[in-house]
Amino acid sequence: MRTPGTRTGTPGAPAELRFVADPPLETDVVEGLTALWADVVNADGAVGFVPPVTRDDVRPEVLRYLDAMGEGRVRLVAGFDADGAVAATAFLTLNSHRLMRHWVWLYTVMVHPSLQGTGAGRRLMAAAADTARGIEGVSGVRLTLRGGRGLERFYASCGYAEVGRVPDAIKVADGEFRDDVTMWLALR
């Protein structure tokens, strides 16, 4: 198996990924997730950090997800490349409020930078929606994103509709703000 965080292939070529909901959280998967998160942030991906970061910087967030997964509050959808390395992820978070259990949050959607433009992102979003459909009683998926990056167009192409926007709610640097955009996918 290749070292987590290294990728080969041609940008724009179709990405051959195998998507798995709730994969076993073996060491190589956890380390691969950590490496992927750092690689995505350092390629200027909008996933909770601003670059530069190290794997040690993102590891506490990975551990928070692992704890929530162990408690049954979060589901992981992971895309594995031909060598079995983690190349894409999305987290579905269940709602605990009794009036909101019919929808889930989608967080930390990541595709390795070397796979950008290959269709891997759309395939990841389809796998996440399929996983959400398999959760009893769930009829929608909600996500938020950092505005100003064109992500709205990508998610719209995956069937999501913009349903809200809070101007300048995300501070990425002193004097530099982005909108917090909410999008919704109806699963019915």
Side-chain angles (χ1 to χ4, degrees):
M1 181 176 293
R2 191 169 353 109
T3 303
T6 60
R7 299 279 172 268
T8 59
T10 305
E16 297 301 322
L17 297 179
R18 178 179 54 90
F19 291 94
V20 178
D22 307 313
L25 296 175
E26 298 166 352
T27 301
D28 60 336
V29 172
V30 174
E31 290 306 311
L33 171 58
T34 305
L36 173 64
W37 203 333
D39 289 348
V40 168
V41 171
N42 288 328
D44 204 29
V47 284
F49 295 89
V50 292
V53 297
T54 67
R55 292 178 185 186
D56 288 338
D57 293 328
V58 301
R59 192 174 313 280
E61 292 300 316
V62 171
L63 296 176
R64 276 191 262 289
Y65 272 127
L66 296 178
D67 287 345
M69 290 165 57
E71 295 170 358
R73 296 182 291 118
V74 172
R75 309 262 319 261
L76 169 62
V77 177
F80 296 91
D81 68 14
D83 294 328
V86 177
T89 62
F91 293 90
L92 294 167
T93 300
L94 307 174
N95 281 301
S96 60
H97 193 284
R98 66 188 156 277
L99 302 179
M100 296 182 193
R101 291 186 184 136
H102 63 287
W103 59 271
V104 295
W105 284 100
L106 183 63
Y107 289 118
T108 319
V109 175
M110 300 185 290
V111 173
H112 194 273
S114 68
L115 299 177
Q116 297 294 317
T118 67
R122 282 185 179 70
R123 291 184 50 230
L124 171 62
M125 294 301 291
D130 287 345
T131 300
R133 282 185 189 93
I135 301 170
E136 185 176 345
V138 170
S139 60
V141 180
R142 183 175 171 181
L143 64 81
T144 61
L145 61 91
R146 186 185 307 170
R149 307 176 61 84
L151 296 170
E152 299 93 322
R153 288 188 305 276
F154 168 72
Y155 289 114
S157 76
C158 295
Y160 285 76
E162 182 175 328
V163 295
R165 181 179 292 258
V166 180
D168 295 339
I170 301 171
K171 182 179 180 179
V172 295
D174 286 339
E176 192 173 343
F177 299 90
R178 300 286 183 270
D179 292 355
D180 183 17
V181 181
T182 301
M183 299 194 77
W184 176 261
L185 175 69
L187 295 175
R188 294 181 187 164

